[in-house]
Amino acid sequence: MHRNKDVILGEDGYTNRNDNAPRNIFSLIGFALKILKSVSFSPTRAIEQFQDDRNKALRLFAG
């Protein structure tokens, strides 16, 4: 799990440490990973699929 958050989404690179920002970023990253895993077992493959077809991401949210 940490590999996905750090290597794929660059979590350790975030420098915002004010107020609730770290908690909010952590929540958004977790949400993004759940979306990616709903598309493919590998988050990297899911990102590639979204890059190939950006409308796929919109259809996923539209239901």
Side-chain angles (χ1 to χ4, degrees):
M1 182 69 136
H2 178 72
R3 179 193 178 280
N4 290 337
K5 287 183 175 184
D6 187 32
V7 175
I8 296 172
L9 299 175
E11 181 183 47
D12 288 347
Y14 297 127
T15 58
N16 192 341
R17 305 282 187 249
N18 298 330
D19 301 324
N20 290 327
R23 183 178 297 145
N24 294 339
I25 293 293
F26 179 79
S27 297
L28 288 172
I29 288 174
F31 179 68
L33 277 175
K34 285 187 180 190
I35 291 172
L36 292 174
K37 287 186 178 187
S38 74
V39 173
S40 174
F41 180 75
S42 167
T44 304
R45 285 196 178 151
I47 290 170
E48 290 171 353
Q49 289 178 11
F50 285 138
Q51 288 174 338
D52 292 340
D53 183 10
R54 293 182 183 197
N55 289 326
K56 184 175 187 172
L58 295 174
R59 288 190 303 269
L60 182 67
F61 284 110

